[in-house]
Amino acid sequence: MSTETIRGMDHVGITVSDIDEATRFFEEAFGAEVIYDSVSRSDEDVKGEETENILNLFPGTRITTVRMMTLKHGPGLELFEMKGPEQNQSVRPSDYGLQHFAVYVDNINEAISLFERAGGKMFTSPQPLMFPTEVGDNNFFCYGRTPWGSVIELISLPSRMPYEDHTSLRRWKP
């Protein structure tokens, strides 16, 4: 079997407490746009044991809304609003499993302003990339939390990075 069939990341799925609030946040913070709703609140066909098994949901969880959004560049965002008898808060970057996704930005200070105006909270001001393989003039990142608790990294990499001296492979950039 060949990996030639693999193209790249299609979308990131995020469970949110309020899909309309999350939609507003992504529109204001990143200019995301709604493509379509896969499931609306009036749909009845995504409840039940079959869906619980397919998606490995906690028993009794109900999917209320699913919305696909697009960013100008990169993978899509698939937002899930679910209501269930057992739901946990978002993970911290030190927890196991998916813990953040990064959005590439051209102007990190402007992106932080948009993120915060939309209701997010940054953990710090922009920081120089901390790993020796990534350092470079104006290569910055910072992490923040969305209003519902997911962690998003803002990253800008305008300068060549030291890792490029050792491989022909390159990180994806829009």
Side-chain angles (χ1 to χ4, degrees), residues 125-144:
S125 61
Q127 304 294 309
L129 269 73
M130 58 176 60
F131 302 125
T133 52
E134 299 173 336
V135 297
D137 291 338
N138 297 311
N139 288 350
F140 287 101
F141 80 105
C142 58
Y143 279 47

Side-chain angles (χ1 to χ4, degrees), residues 45-57 61-63 82:
D45 62 336
V46 294
K47 297 185 232 177
E49 194 173 314
E50 183 180 7
T51 301
E52 290 173 5
N53 290 333
I54 291 169
L55 299 179
N56 193 32
L57 303 177
T61 299
R62 188 170 58 88
I63 298 172
M82 298 188 203

Side-chain angles (χ1 to χ4, degrees), residues 4-20:
E4 292 293 317
T5 190
I6 307 302
R7 296 253 190 142
M9 188 175 292
D10 180 74
H11 67 273
V12 174
I14 306 166
T15 300
V16 299
S17 56
D18 181 324
I19 204 159
D20 294 322

Side-chain angles (χ1 to χ4, degrees), residues 6-105:
I6 307 302
R7 296 253 190 142
M9 188 175 292
D10 180 74
H11 67 273
V12 174
I14 306 166
T15 300
V16 299
S17 56
D18 181 324
I19 204 159
D20 294 322
E21 175 62 22
T23 298
R24 181 203 58 77
F25 175 82
F26 283 115
E27 288 170 341
E28 292 180 15
F30 302 120
E33 295 179 279
V34 174
I35 304 172
Y36 57 86
D37 284 356
S38 305
V39 176
S40 66
R41 284 183 176 85
S42 62
D43 291 341
E44 297 290 331
D45 62 336
V46 294
K47 297 185 232 177
E49 194 173 314
E50 183 180 7
T51 301
E52 290 173 5
N53 290 333
I54 291 169
L55 299 179
N56 193 32
L57 303 177
F58 189 85
T61 299
R62 188 170 58 88
I63 298 172
T64 58
T65 313
V66 179
R67 179 167 291 153
M68 186 62 77
M69 299 186 76
T70 184
L71 297 171
K72 185 173 182 179
H73 303 285
L77 300 172
E78 187 176 27
L79 305 181
F80 290 80
E81 182 181 288
M82 298 188 203
K83 304 299 180 198
E86 185 174 305
Q87 290 180 287
N88 296 314
Q89 294 299 312
S90 297
V91 299
R92 295 170 69 110
S94 56
D95 292 329
Y96 294 120
L98 272 174
Q99 39 95 340
H100 82 276
F101 68 90
V103 175
Y104 191 94
V105 300

